Amino acid sequence: MPVGTAGTVKGMTQAQLEELGVQILLANTYHLYLRPGHEIVRGVGGLHRFMGWPRPILTDSGGFQVMSLKSLGRVTEDGVWFKSHLDGSAHFLSPERAVEVQLALGADIITTLDECVEYPSSHEAIHRAVKLTGRWAGRAKRYYEGRGTGDWGLETGGEPSAISSQPSASETQASEQSAIANHQSPIPAPSPQPPAPALFGIVQGGVDRDLRRESAEGLLELDFEGYALGGLSVGEPKAEMYEVADYTAKLLPRDRPRYLMGVGTPEDLVECVARGIDMFDCVMPTRNARNGCVFTSQGKVLIKHTKYARDESPLDPACECPVCGRYPRSYIRHLLVAGEMLGAILTTQHNLHFYVDRMRKIRQSLLFGAFAEFHSRVRAEP
Amino acid sequence: MPVGTAGTVKGMTQAQLEELGVQILLANTYHLYLRPGHEIVRGVGGLHRFMGWPRPILTDSGGFQVMSLKSLGRVTEDGVWFKSHLDGSAHFLSPERAVEVQLALGADIITTLDECVEYPSSHEAIHRAVKLTGRWAGRAKRYYEGRGTGDWGLETGGEPSAISSQPSASETQASEQSAIANHQSPIPAPSPQPPAPALFGIVQGGVDRDLRRESAEGLLELDFEGYALGGLSVGEPKAEMYEVADYTAKLLPRDRPRYLMGVGTPEDLVECVARGIDMFDCVMPTRNARNGCVFTSQGKVLIKHTKYARDESPLDPACECPVCGRYPRSYIRHLLVAGEMLGAILTTQHNLHFYVDRMRKIRQSLLFGAFAEFHSRVRAEP
């Protein structure tokens, strides 16, 4: 999944994403909640209408941004207090609120609020996060299951804005704890958006096998439609990441998607599919592109280097993307050096093609029983 | 002609420009000469190969940027001394050099170096500029006519780099006047690039009819393949611009393209075609787009305004562009407010469609004898 942080994969039009064969996008709940606001997105008809993107969308819960952007105020049993990176305003995110915001956005796959601890953390801290993540997953599931039923006072297919509900006990308590403006009104019930999105639970546990098992088993009891592996690719050694992904994937049901969050390099995709992972998201293809780092069949190319100033060849002679069919390296280098938007646009288009193509090849090799061979070939690449 | 300053129409891929029906682009000689350098572009095979743009390109002479970017050192009989806006380095542009650089870039239409005076200027200053522009046009034409002939020591279709020539007397003099590095080597002869580009002369004369006539008559003697009207849309009242365009166009041959430089608004296009103009270039559709100003059938829309935050409608319900077929105003506003590249990309795509479509309608109405009717309809628009 290419990452569309604020409802856009930076530099790409939705038509270009479709042409590249992108099947599903990730959008960040944290960013869309703060700007333009999930109610605006809901009002326009949801993220698909808002973004002009008819294909699937997955939203994260917002928890990772809250905890990684150093804007974190306080993690409580109820949820997370945080400050906006835009204007410093204070906000509260609970497991229920995270689901509610994601339902308003109208994604196809939504995720439960989790606590992601940094690497390395003490066994105690990871264990505490695993337990809290488990309790939050339960609350998210119960809130999600109550959407659009009589529980929420919804009798007919009325306007979302007409729906209201009583805040939960813990929500009320949180409200009373603070006069922060954005948390004064009760959380409205989620609007029914047929078809209902799939809800994924998130497995935590750092690089500790017992804690990963404990986290997975707790989630399995709740029976999610898919399972995400959180808390990986946060600084641990690569071998350890592969091992934990392998171990954790084996704990999860074969008939539910397994999604490894925030991973990774082109090699990671193959290595982790080999270990049982089905889905990925990562900013690497798009962020690297904007910095002039392009992925090719011959390895990474740092295209801003002076040696490409007169280079007439495409970014990757073996590549079939629209960029490699048209533009020489010299031009793309020129655009990036001159700070022209088209530089980032073209490198992004190329890198996304590389990633989408890699996943396409993985699927094809699996379908035709040739994955082991493909896996070996990728390992032998530069 | 959309403006592709540094070899790119900001935010657009060449494929998108083709899809919009753009027939010809303008690129700025000044910018490409400084970065990446015309020799790099020539080395890659010219601007068409460099940019991946197979359709026609027009290059300006560089004179306007030199004189308008306040980087001007000194205008001499020989040419113009100026400083780079990038690094302050000193450069010299002569009529011959301007043609040589443009031939290296490999555009389809190239232009003569002119002196463009600001508005208002004294009669004396304008007259001096008209005369200098005329002499420079003659030098440019002679240099251009000598390209690829025995005059330049070219016997066979050798490599451009193998061609050398003696500098002209005035060039030698200029070289000797200064030790500035980039002017120490003699100007190489232009390389033969079949088919030869068309050379346009530029009419100056401010808003003075007699001076416009004097300028035009001087150029007509030199017999250019097309004529540009320079020194308009530089601050004079609109009525005066229309009048001078009208007067000047009538002085020019009916069978040669007339190109009004740096104009203009969507209304200007129709008004000036009515006065005999065939070609235009302007940054307005692209620059306004990046600032959130979009052209619609109902007039300009400043899309960043709060009132569009929840607007589900397209930029222009009457528009058939790819942007209006997919994205609501609320989304485009969000992107621009959030500083996302896609905001500028979409508004640029829309505005270019508006301009290209306007010219398409003008051509169609001329073809079917309905221009007067179209002209009236545009005048009645909001």
Side-chain angles (χ1 to χ4, degrees), chain A residues 303-324:
Chain A
I303 195 66
K304 283 201 270 187
H305 195 288
T306 315
K307 70 182 172 191
Y308 301 118
R310 295 167 186 273
D311 195 331
E312 299 176 38
S313 59
L315 290 176
D316 182 357
C319 176
E320 293 173 12
C321 87
V323 179
C324 290

Side-chain angles (χ1 to χ4, degrees), chain A residues 31-60:
Chain A
H31 289 281
L32 291 168
Y33 162 78
L34 290 179
R35 188 171 60 191
H38 58 293
E39 289 301 349
I40 279 185
V41 175
R42 192 212 303 257
V44 174
L47 209 40
H48 291 283
R49 287 279 297 277
F50 184 64
M51 289 178 60
W53 176 254
R55 299 186 187 177
I57 299 171
L58 178 147
T59 42
D60 61 4

Side-chain angles (χ1 to χ4, degrees), chain B residues 192-360:
Chain B
Q193 298 266 2
L199 178 66
F200 281 23
I202 302 179
V203 184
Q204 288 290 346
V207 295
D208 186 297
R209 293 185 172 214
D210 292 339
L211 294 180
R212 283 279 165 188
R213 173 176 291 277
E214 179 179 333
S215 181
E217 285 175 349
L219 295 175
L220 288 172
E221 280 176 29
L222 293 166
D223 190 27
F224 286 98
E225 290 162 275
Y227 296 87
L229 283 68
L232 286 176
S233 200
V234 291
E236 75 283 1
K238 182 138 293 189
E240 207 148 16
M241 189 266 274
Y242 288 164
E243 223 178 277
V244 174
D246 189 36
Y247 178 81
T248 310
K250 287 185 174 53
L251 303 171
L252 300 171
R254 291 175 63 91
D255 62 344
R256 305 289 163 93
R258 300 163 188 157
Y259 158 34
L260 181 52
M261 306 179 95
V263 173
T265 67
E267 302 75 51
D268 289 343
L269 302 184
V270 185
E271 293 299 339
C272 294
V273 166
R275 288 162 174 82
I277 302 296
D278 304 300
M279 301 171 62
F280 305 89
D281 79 282
C282 196
V283 295
M284 189 172 278
T286 47
R287 182 176 294 165
N288 280 19
R290 296 195 300 281
N291 294 326
C293 172
V294 297
F295 295 96
T296 78
S297 58
Q298 300 303 305
K300 285 189 210 167
V301 169
L302 300 176
I303 196 66
K304 284 201 271 189
H305 196 288
T306 316
K307 70 181 171 191
Y308 301 118
R310 295 167 186 274
D311 194 330
E312 300 176 37
S313 60
L315 290 176
D316 182 358
C319 176
E320 293 172 12
C321 87
V323 179
C324 289
R326 188 185 274 254
Y327 306 97
R329 288 176 170 182
S330 58
Y331 181 58
I332 295 169
R333 176 188 185 268
H334 159 66
L335 295 173
L336 286 167
V337 168
E340 289 286 345
M341 271 193 281
L342 188 56
I345 291 169
L346 297 181
T347 51
T348 300
Q349 201 173 10
H350 170 84
N351 277 359
L352 283 178
H353 174 88
F354 191 88
Y355 268 66
V356 168
D357 186 58
R358 169 129 319 181
M359 291 306 292
R360 190 188 294 125

Side-chain angles (χ1 to χ4, degrees), chain B residues 105-243:
Chain B
L105 294 173
D108 304 276
I109 301 176
I110 65 176
T111 50
T112 57
L113 186 67
D114 61 331
E115 186 187 359
C116 180
V117 295
E118 57 188 7
Y119 177 88
S121 286
S122 68
H123 183 275
E124 191 200 338
I126 304 172
H127 197 191
R128 207 174 47 228
V130 162
K131 286 185 181 167
L132 185 62
T133 296
R135 289 192 298 273
W136 283 359
R139 283 169 53 189
K141 187 83 195 300
R142 284 189 294 278
Y143 182 85
Y144 163 83
E145 284 173 343
R147 77 192 183 286
T149 71
D151 294 347
W152 299 102
L154 182 77
E155 301 299 335
T156 62
E159 287 300 300
S161 56
I163 304 164
S164 70
S165 74
Q166 294 303 314
S168 70
S170 60
E171 291 296 328
T172 308
Q173 194 181 3
S175 283
E176 285 165 358
Q177 279 168 2
S178 164
I180 289 165
N182 76 305
H183 193 55
Q184 284 181 333
S185 55
I187 293 178
S191 63
Q193 298 266 2
L199 178 66
F200 281 23
I202 302 179
V203 184
Q204 288 290 346
V207 295
D208 186 297
R209 293 185 172 214
D210 292 339
L211 294 180
R212 283 279 165 188
R213 173 176 291 277
E214 179 179 333
S215 181
E217 285 175 349
L219 295 175
L220 288 172
E221 280 176 29
L222 293 166
D223 190 27
F224 286 98
E225 290 162 275
Y227 296 87
L229 283 68
L232 286 176
S233 200
V234 291
E236 75 283 1
K238 182 138 293 189
E240 207 148 16
M241 189 266 274
Y242 288 164
E243 223 178 277

